[in-house]
Amino acid sequence: MFTLLSPLTIFVIYLLIVNLLAFIMYWRDKNLAIQGKWRIPENALMLVAAFGGSIGALISMYTFRHKTKHAKFVLGVPIILAMQLMCLLAFIVYVS
């Protein structure tokens, strides 16, 4: 029998996917940098963080030591994460 997923389950699955995507994108960009090849645009890396992949981006940044010397990323990704957490908290407070 087909069972519909709850909105919370869909949201959690989305976050898992987008964070995995962010992690892979930052890892791939680091590998491309090492090889001296064309890179993933910085705006694409920031965009995936803004769409919910900030935790995956942060983990990848410090796991692979990638973009850790760029203020845009060192400050930008944690700020995005903080804003996302504030929105989540506001939503939880509003709903309850």
Side-chain angles (χ1 to χ4, degrees), residues 23 27 30 55-66 68:
F23 186 87
W27 167 77
K30 176 67 175 188
I55 293 173
L58 273 174
I59 292 170
S60 190
M61 281 173 58
Y62 289 101
T63 299
F64 304 116
R65 284 182 262 151
H66 187 54
T68 56

Side-chain angles (χ1 to χ4, degrees), residues 40-57:
I40 297 171
E42 288 186 349
N43 287 340
L45 295 173
M46 291 299 283
L47 196 60
V48 74
F51 280 127
S54 54
I55 293 173

